[in-house]
Amino acid sequence: MSNSPIPRHFTATGFVVNGDATLLHWHHRVQAWLAPGGHVEPNEDPVQAVLREVKEETGFDVQLIPTQTTPETSNLDQVAAPRTILIEDVYDEKVGKHQHIDMIYFCHIPGPRPTAPDGWVWFTADDLSNGRAATNPDGINEAPPEDVVTLGLEGIHAAG
């Protein structure tokens, strides 16, 4: 039995990093700059979900950046642990009020930085540190929220 009074969904988010920047898009429902991600589908582990979501949303094939060491075992497969897990309050018209249990991963695009796809913006570490705002599709300058800034900077640092 769940301790949560509202439904919860498992999701996975991938901060896509190249060099000193992370890729964000304006999420219309949330009204904020966010990294790519989405629901973990049935029979999918969170790493499969984050790699699929990044590919679907950005078109990029990425590599996972390990953020934790895994114990040596030979009898069972392991799934890479996320950097952190966030609990996010969400509302949408189909499901109503619910929460996302969001597993946060860092991902890397090797090679030179590709052009951001339509609707996506590369935010550099300086941009994030200095609260840079980018123009959203409504023509309003908006900076990413605190959690996105913190995790974006950590992802850039983890990528080296």
Side-chain angles (χ1 to χ4, degrees):
M1 180 152 176
S2 170
N3 292 334
S4 176
I6 63 174
R8 288 179 155 185
H9 302 167
F10 288 100
T11 59
T13 294
F15 281 81
V16 176
V17 175
N18 182 275
D20 71 339
T22 191
L23 190 61
L24 304 175
H25 74 110
W26 183 255
H27 194 287
H28 292 282
R29 261 186 300 174
V30 178
Q31 292 291 293
W33 291 103
L34 300 179
H39 287 82
V40 177
E41 300 293 335
N43 299 315
E44 187 175 55
D45 68 47
V47 171
Q48 291 169 327
V50 78
L51 297 176
R52 175 186 52 77
E53 288 286 348
V54 168
K55 177 71 171 180
E56 286 176 4
E57 294 185 20
T58 69
F60 296 135
D61 290 309
V62 296
Q63 299 170 353
L64 205 65
I65 300 170
T67 56
Q68 302 187 38
T69 59
T70 53
E72 292 292 325
T73 62
S74 61
N75 62 321
L76 296 173
D77 290 335
Q78 296 186 54
V79 175
R83 167 59 186 95
T84 192
I85 301 173
L86 302 176
I87 305 295
E88 303 155 348
D89 292 324
V90 179
Y91 178 84
D92 71 40
E93 293 178 13
K94 289 183 183 177
V95 179
K97 184 178 178 180
H98 63 286
Q99 290 182 323
H100 286 173
I101 300 172
D102 195 7
M103 292 161 272
I104 307 298
Y105 289 92
F106 300 147
C107 307
H108 178 256
I109 299 175
R113 182 172 307 146
T115 300
D118 286 344
W120 292 85
V121 175
W122 286 108
F123 282 80
T124 66
D126 283 344
D127 295 337
L128 295 171
S129 295
N130 295 318
R132 173 189 160 221
T135 305
N136 69 27
D138 299 324
I140 299 168
N141 282 339
E142 188 84 29
E146 177 189 355
D147 63 303
V148 172
V149 169
T150 299
L151 291 165
L153 288 169
E154 272 198 38
I156 291 166
H157 178 74

